[in-house]
Amino acid sequence: MTMSIRPIDPASRPFFAAEVSGIDITRPLSGEQAGAIERGMDQYGVLVFHDQRFDDDTQLAFSGHFGELEEASGDLNWGKKRRIGSALVNDISNLDNDNQVLARDNRRRLFSLGNRLWHSDSSFKAVPAKFSLLSARLIPSAGGNTEFADMRAGYDTLDDETKAEIEDLVCEHSQLYSRSLLGFSDFTDEDRERFKPVLQRLVRRHPSTGQRSLYLASHAGAIVGWPVPEARALLRDLIEHATQRRFVYAHGWRQWDLVMWDNRSTMHRARPFDAGQVRDMHRTTVACERSTMAEAA
Ligand code: OGA
Ligand code: MN
């Protein structure tokens, strides 16, 4: 078997979202194979692998090739008894600790609906996420796609005036803000402390390719030095621009897909599905090496 990486839609998105075939990533990888996958990530931003029967141990082993793994501390389960044993695996499911589907009004479920807003993983942490790796263990019979937007294209297609205006802007990101957009405000004092805003550059340069991208997320609720309404109006305009359909790849899941994305150059969002059906996805997350504030402009 030789590994190949081919764009999913070569006619309209030759440089964004590719499918990798000819490799079983649940088995130990050579340094050369891991290097080829990392270069594929640099080029395409999103990589799709089909038929990868991961458990948490093999998913952790594969993910560890790409850097330090982040703790799964971005949800309301943090510090509580969790369904998933490893503290490095994010529970992206609608299941409780007994594997029962969460009730429609369950607080954890309502918090997790924040994933339906465009975001970049862990932009609310001082050191945010580099890669996310999402493994589809059980999927509903319909719906539940994940959409990805190419934020390099979003940046490149801005006019020069806007590029100059936003070049050095710094945003405040917090899950308190993204959840409030959906009307969720049921936070404890501890949640509020843990989700205090962090600073992130609005324009990033990819450390490997040097390409610039818009670093946006629904977690961004302010721009340092700007009046809040003006900041939010600009951020909404930029998200609208960057998520035009021509920049978006919509992934329709098959069981045992593994999709891996670069949070430095993409945003993503979940799409709805029947709340009575099971959707069980496990996510590992590779951390960036430093805060965007410490990255070269
Ligand atoms: C995530 C996420 C979207 C989805 O795992 O980070 O946003 O479709 N998931 O579950
Ligand atoms: Mn996410």
Side-chain angles (χ1 to χ4, degrees):
M1 272 201 317
T2 44
M3 184 175 91
S4 72
I5 306 184
R6 294 199 189 87
I8 292 168
D9 190 348
S12 52
R13 283 185 307 270
F15 309 112
F16 184 57
E19 183 178 319
V20 187
S21 55
I23 186 167
D24 180 354
I25 53 173
T26 68
R27 306 192 32 98
L29 245 57
S30 67
E32 202 180 314
Q33 287 172 314
I37 292 171
E38 178 117 24
R39 286 193 296 282
M41 287 295 289
D42 288 344
Q43 187 168 6
Y44 295 107
V46 180
L47 292 180
V48 173
F49 303 77
H50 296 297
D51 304 315
Q52 306 291 339
R53 294 178 174 253
F54 277 114
D55 59 21
D56 289 345
D57 288 340
T58 49
Q59 186 173 341
L60 285 165
F62 174 67
S63 307
H65 284 286
F66 308 103
E68 288 280 319
L69 300 184
E70 189 186 276
E71 290 206 325
S73 56
D75 60 25
L76 298 178
N77 302 344
W78 178 242
K80 305 197 174 71
K81 184 173 167 2
R82 300 171 72 245
R83 189 177 70 95
I84 295 178
S86 169
L88 302 178
V89 178
N90 286 268
D91 191 353
I92 312 293
S93 77
N94 57 348
L95 300 174
D96 67 17
N97 291 349
D98 300 318
N99 287 315
Q100 299 301 304
V101 173
L102 297 172
R104 189 162 179 193
D105 62 352
N106 177 277
R107 177 170 175 263
R108 260 169 54 198
R109 172 175 183 272
L110 298 180
F111 179 85
S112 75
L113 290 181
N115 277 348
R116 296 256 291 269
L117 304 178
W118 285 108
H119 65 282
S120 176
D121 288 333
S122 300
S123 74
F124 53 86
K125 295 184 180 178
V127 175
K130 176 188 171 192
F131 295 162
S132 294
L133 301 95
L134 192 59
S135 161
R137 308 293 174 86
L138 288 171
I139 58 168
S141 56
N145 284 1
T146 308
E147 296 183 344
F148 297 91
D150 184 351
M151 304 302 283
R152 304 165 300 183
Y155 177 82
D156 289 343
T157 51
L158 293 172
D159 58 54
D160 290 341
E161 207 172 276
T162 308
K163 283 181 181 163
E165 182 181 29
I166 67 173
E167 178 69 22
D168 295 313
L169 294 182
V170 171
C171 298
E172 289 184 13
H173 291 238
S174 169
Q175 295 212 96
L176 299 174
Y177 178 65
S178 49
R179 268 53 189 177
S180 78
L181 289 174
L182 291 183
F184 181 100
S185 53
D186 183 11
F187 291 108
T188 63
D189 289 345
E190 193 195 346
D191 296 332
R192 283 180 205 284
E193 181 61 29
R194 196 152 50 87
F195 295 144
K196 275 213 295 244
V198 302
L199 299 181
Q200 305 288 2
R201 278 180 199 284
L202 177 51
V203 178
R204 289 182 81 165
R205 246 176 68 136
H206 196 284
S208 314
T209 65
Q211 281 175 303
R212 279 165 199 262
S213 58
L214 281 172
Y215 191 51
L216 286 168
S218 303
H219 308 308
I223 296 175
V224 175
W226 281 43
V228 169
E230 197 177 359
R232 292 190 185 178
L234 173 66
L235 294 170
R236 286 176 84 108
D237 282 350
L238 292 173
I239 289 184
E240 187 175 322
H241 168 79
T243 58
Q244 297 171 56
R245 289 321 290 184
R246 63 184 169 131
F247 302 143
V248 171
Y249 163 63
H251 184 69
W253 291 92
R254 298 190 214 160
Q255 191 183 23
W256 303 119
D257 280 351
L258 184 287
V259 178
M260 172 172 184
W261 61 89
D262 189 337
N263 288 291
R264 300 169 298 186
S265 54
T266 67
M267 278 201 299
H268 61 281
R269 66 171 179 180
R271 304 303 294 145
F273 60 96
D274 175 355
Q277 289 195 33
V278 175
R279 185 173 186 266
D280 186 6
M281 323 283 274
H282 291 212
R283 195 189 87 206
T284 40
T285 317
V286 179
C288 281
E289 284 174 13
R290 53 187 68 82
S291 137
T292 63
M293 301 303 292
E295 276 176 353

